[in-house]
């Protein structure tokens, strides 16, 4: 899937890459590295035989596995269909670009915990995007209303 990137979010992994702390000693320091794991933009094309309900022109978000010169901090990205989803209705590109890694991390954490009705989860140090998605995820369709309760600290 080829996507014209309008917004790429900044994650801790990106800042570590940019600072050089993620460079392996075996890698050449002059190697081009393009950071970015989350992108939002407009779908421009997809390859023959790709089965999807997406269409050219759709507003999408994508997860990118940054390797070398392939990262979301690009004008265009090409990623597998499994890495692309339609941006939620009402989300602009900036909002949609925050969802893939933060939203998936929050959802995976909640699913892994398997909290039962009446549980309370305190998310410390998560006043940012991931904490917000943890709170929002618990109040959506897959969880009963108010179950579990997430307290942000």
């Amino acid at each position: 899937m080829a996507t014209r990137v309008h917004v790429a979010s900044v994650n801790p992994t990106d800042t570590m890459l940019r600072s050089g702390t993620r460079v392996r000693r075996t890698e050449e320091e002059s190697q081009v590295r393009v950071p970015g794991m989350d992108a939002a933009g407009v779908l421009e094309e997809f390859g023959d035989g790709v089965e999807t309900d997406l269409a050219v022109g759709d507003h999408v978000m994508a997860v990118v596995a940054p390797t070398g010169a392939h990262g979301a901090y690009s004008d265009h990205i090409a990623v597998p269909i499994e890495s692309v989803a339609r941006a939620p209705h009402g989300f602009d590109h900036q909002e949609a670009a925050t969802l893939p890694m933060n939203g998936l991390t929050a959802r995976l954490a909640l699913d892994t915990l398997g909290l039962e009705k009446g549980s309370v989860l305190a998310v410390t140090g998560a006043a940012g995007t991931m904490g917000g998605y943890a709170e929002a995820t618990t109040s959506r369709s897959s969880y009963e209303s108010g179950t579990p309760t997430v307290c942000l600290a």
Side-chain angles (χ1 to χ4, degrees):
M1 310 272 311
T3 302
R4 168 82 167 108
V5 176
H6 287 253
V7 176
S9 67
V10 179
N11 289 300
T13 301
D14 303 326
T15 59
M16 289 190 314
L17 180 65
R18 289 180 58 116
S19 71
T21 59
R22 288 204 52 202
V23 176
R24 293 185 185 104
R25 291 185 178 159
T26 58
E27 293 179 0
E28 290 184 33
E29 298 217 6
S30 63
Q31 180 182 354
V32 174
R33 290 179 194 81
V34 178
M37 297 178 72
D38 301 318
V42 176
L43 180 62
E44 290 191 337
E45 65 179 291
F46 45 90
D48 294 334
V50 172
E51 294 184 26
T52 180
D53 64 342
L54 297 172
V56 170
D58 281 350
H59 292 263
V60 296
M61 54 190 181
V63 173
V64 180
T67 56
H70 179 71
Y73 292 14
S74 303
D75 290 335
H76 289 84
I77 55 172
V79 294
I81 184 66
E82 298 83 9
S83 297
V84 179
R86 185 174 286 109
H89 179 71
F91 275 48
D92 63 22
H93 291 303
Q94 291 175 333
E95 293 164 325
T98 69
L99 185 56
M101 294 308 295
N102 291 302
L104 289 171
T105 300
R107 182 59 196 234
L108 178 61
L110 291 167
D111 289 350
T112 300
L113 288 170
L115 300 172
E116 296 181 16
K117 186 172 184 168
S119 298
V120 176
L121 173 66
V123 181
T124 60
T129 308
M130 197 289 238
Y133 283 128
E135 189 280 327
T137 299
T138 62
S139 62
R140 297 291 189 258
S141 62
S142 63
Y143 292 95
E144 294 180 39
S145 180
T147 305
T149 300
V150 175
C151 303
L152 303 179

